[in-house]
Amino acid sequence: MQLKHKIVALSILPLLLAMALICALVIVQNQRLGEDQAWLIENAILSSKRAELKNYVAMALSVITPLQAGASDDAQTRRQALEALAKLGFGRDGYFFVYDIRGRNLMHPRQTELVGRDLWNLTDPHGLPAVRALIESATHGDGFQRYAWRKPSTGQVTDKLAYVVALEPWGWMLGTGIYLEDVEQATRQVRDEVAGGIRSTMIAIATIALVAVLLVFAGGLTLSVREHRLADSKLQSLNRRIVHLQEEERSRVSRELHDGISQLLVSIKFQFELAGHQLEAGHSDGLAILGQATERLGGAIGEIRRISHDLRPSLLDTLGLPAAIGQLATEFEQRCNLSVVYRNSLHDARLLDEVAVALFRIVQEALTNIERHARASSVLIDLEPCVDGVQLRVRDDGIGFDPWTIERTQEGIGLRNIRERVEHLGGRFSLSSSIGHTEICVILPVPPIRRVAA
């Protein structure tokens, strides 16, 4: 996965996770709220129905109470009471029923096929022994019982709330009930409204999440395009600098070869030709001229060695970095007539080739800057091991400069080269400068340093 894709993923995934958690929380809270609301509505309706049922049963009791209070308590009186209760009713499906305490049905105006049957073990679709539960509620409970029973008007089995009382003198259970389809409808409506609200909320959250994802994606795409353009611009600038440095180095070598070695070799050629003519003519001056030409040839060889040393010092490959920096410091001191102090705490340690070359080029670049700009009288070069690897410090007592300005202008190309070398190797670079004090400090991470066996 590319870096830009990782950035977009790291931006979008937490957003999607947060949206998912919010959706889950909204669903749970809305469902809980819906259930609470349905429970409240159901309780309110049931409370109203309980009061209504008590009133109906009180009305039925008022009808048969005079018969119970009469002097005669025979089968005729009880039959009159059952006939009177059978005539009572309310609404389309409201009726009264009577059972004895053993579960035998004595009166049921809407289901006459049940009269006289023992229904003690009759169970509803939920497995509840309905008649037995009614008798238990009448004799030992609050009189209310919920169960499932066939609704006369529709023939469908539905939930029913009944209120029953015990008629102790006759051993009867009198009761009535109300079917709860309206309660189920009300609670179902509440749950449907909650589900609809959840769907609407989910759609709104999904829309917000989609817009947020699109915004993040658009922002990431814009940032990616901008970073690509910036990277291309930096790459083009770097390529131009590399080409410029290559041309500058080639020009320098070309000037040194043309102005130094080439002129010197032409002069030596003329001296050899002159010596040859003098010797052919028998003049003794030819030997002296030949000696001068040979001496100048040695100087040409030394100049070639100097150019070769500038390109890649041989001591760096043979004796290592400390010796190469020491030679560079000695030549700089002789050439510029400055006081150079070189402190080497690495001794004869061997470093990785890329680290050694980088440190050597950094010292070379720093000394070149000191020679051109510092107007210094003394220079300190300090090379030592440290906790993080190898530390190099180059300090002078010159006129100083403003690091912030120099590093951001074309004049600071040498410092930029140093900084880029250090960053390429994962090191640290620091620069401080003021009047009378300028110091470059470089720390490069290296593996454990090996020492040359004695």
Side-chain angles (χ1 to χ4, degrees):
M1 185 181 291
Q2 297 180 2
L3 179 60
K4 60 180 181 180
H5 296 156
K6 291 181 180 179
I7 294 175
V8 173
L10 289 176
S11 302
I12 293 178
L13 288 180
L15 176 63
L16 294 179
L17 180 60
M19 289 295 180
L21 293 176
I22 292 174
C23 289
L25 183 62
V26 168
I27 291 174
V28 171
Q29 292 295 334
N30 282 353
Q31 288 179 343
R32 184 180 300 171
L33 180 63
E35 291 299 324
D36 292 343
Q37 188 175 356
W39 181 81
L40 290 175
I41 292 176
E42 183 177 358
N43 280 350
I45 296 176
L46 289 178
S47 296
S48 174
K49 290 186 178 299
R50 288 189 183 98
E52 185 179 355
L53 288 173
K54 283 186 176 182
N55 291 332
Y56 289 147
V57 171
M59 179 184 66
L61 290 174
S62 66
V63 171
I64 64 173
T65 298
L67 296 175
Q68 283 183 315
S72 60
D73 184 11
D74 53 11
Q76 180 66 27
T77 303
R78 297 184 182 187
R79 186 166 48 254
Q80 291 177 359
L82 292 174
E83 291 175 356
L85 291 173
K87 294 177 183 180
L88 295 177
F90 53 91
R92 186 179 181 184
D93 294 302
Y95 58 88
F96 294 90
F97 52 83
V98 179
Y99 289 84
D100 63 19
I101 59 174
R102 291 184 297 273
R104 184 169 62 90
N105 185 271
L106 300 179
M107 186 273 294
H108 200 298
R110 303 298 175 90
Q111 291 178 272
T112 56
E113 69 275 7
L114 300 179
V115 177
R117 292 177 54 184
D118 183 3
L119 303 179
W120 181 262
N121 294 319
L122 178 67
T123 58
D124 69 357
H126 305 301
L128 175 70
V131 176
R132 192 188 312 171
L134 288 170
I135 295 173
E136 180 70 21
S137 181
T139 56
H140 300 94
D142 60 357
F144 291 101
Q145 181 61 47
R146 187 167 179 172
Y147 60 101
W149 197 265
R150 183 167 63 87
K151 188 175 183 180
S153 61
T154 62
Q156 301 293 325
V157 176
T158 184
D159 282 351
K160 182 178 183 179
L161 178 65
Y163 179 67
V164 292
V165 294
L167 301 177
E168 295 294 343
W170 292 345
W172 288 0
M173 175 194 70
L174 168 65
T176 187
I178 298 177
Y179 291 94
L180 301 178
E181 286 180 332
D182 54 345
V183 178
E184 295 175 354
Q185 183 179 0
T187 55
R188 188 184 307 114
Q189 182 179 358
V190 170
R191 291 187 175 93
D192 291 341
E193 291 177 355
V194 171
I198 291 176
R199 284 194 296 271
S200 301
T201 304
M202 292 301 101
I203 293 174
I205 293 177
T207 303
I208 295 173
L210 179 61
V211 172
V213 169
L214 291 177
L215 290 176
V216 172
F217 182 78
L221 184 62
T222 304
L223 179 62
S224 176
V225 172
R226 181 177 177 276
E227 291 298 325
H228 270 298
R229 290 178 179 175
L230 183 60
D232 290 341
S233 175
K234 290 184 177 180
L235 183 59
Q236 292 176 0
S237 176
L238 180 60
N239 289 333
R240 289 195 297 268
R241 286 178 54 198
I242 291 174
V243 172
H244 175 72
L245 290 175
Q246 288 177 341
E247 293 301 324
E248 187 178 82
E249 184 66 14
R250 289 172 180 172
S251 299
R252 184 184 68 81
V253 175
S254 175
R255 285 195 304 270
E256 291 187 353
L257 291 177
H258 181 271
D259 298 339
I261 299 299
S262 179
Q263 298 298 329
L264 189 58
L265 291 177
V266 169
S267 175
I268 293 171
K269 177 178 177 294
F270 287 154
Q271 284 185 317
F272 275 126
E273 291 176 350
L274 180 59
H277 291 313
Q278 292 290 340
L279 292 175
E280 288 179 358
H283 296 296
S284 58
D285 293 342
L287 293 176
I289 295 173
L290 185 62
Q292 293 176 0
T294 303
E295 182 179 353
R296 301 192 72 176
L297 182 60
I301 294 173
E303 185 67 15
I304 292 175
R305 287 178 176 173
R306 184 189 64 80
I307 295 174
S308 174
H309 176 76
D310 289 341
L311 295 176
R312 170 85 180 191
S314 58
L315 285 178
L316 195 60
D317 296 321
T318 56
L319 298 182
L321 176 67
I325 293 180
Q327 181 181 356
L328 187 65
T330 300
E331 293 176 353
F332 178 78
E333 184 176 25
Q334 294 173 353
R335 184 174 68 252
C336 299
N337 195 24
L338 299 178
S339 173
V340 178
V341 177
Y342 173 45
R343 294 197 302 232
N344 169 32
S345 300
L346 293 181
H347 304 292
D348 54 357
R350 289 287 189 176
L351 301 176
L352 293 178
D353 184 67
E354 59 181 1
V355 176
V357 171
L359 290 174
F360 180 82
R361 293 305 183 191
I362 290 171
V363 174
Q364 196 175 43
E365 187 71 43
L367 293 180
T368 300
N369 289 337
I370 292 173
E371 181 179 0
R372 292 178 179 177
H373 311 293
R375 303 178 193 174
S377 59
S378 64
V379 177
L380 170 65
I381 303 174
D382 192 358
L383 184 65
E384 60 182 355
C386 66
V387 176
D388 297 326
V390 176
Q391 176 177 275
L392 169 68
R393 292 188 298 117
V394 180
R395 186 173 67 225
D396 68 79
D397 59 353
I399 60 175
F401 59 91
D402 182 4
W404 191 90
T405 302
I406 293 296
E407 287 198 71
R408 286 159 179 77
T409 61
Q410 291 297 326
E411 297 178 359
I413 190 170
L415 292 176
R416 285 204 301 272
N417 290 338
I418 293 175
R419 186 181 296 277
E420 289 172 0
R421 286 182 184 273
V422 174
E423 290 177 351
H424 175 70
L425 295 175
R428 298 200 305 271
F429 171 78
S430 62
L431 169 65
S432 61
S433 182
S434 61
I435 297 177
H437 176 86
T438 297
E439 181 175 309
I440 292 174
C441 181
V442 172
I443 298 177
L444 295 182
V446 296
I449 300 174
R450 298 185 294 105
R451 294 188 177 276
V452 178

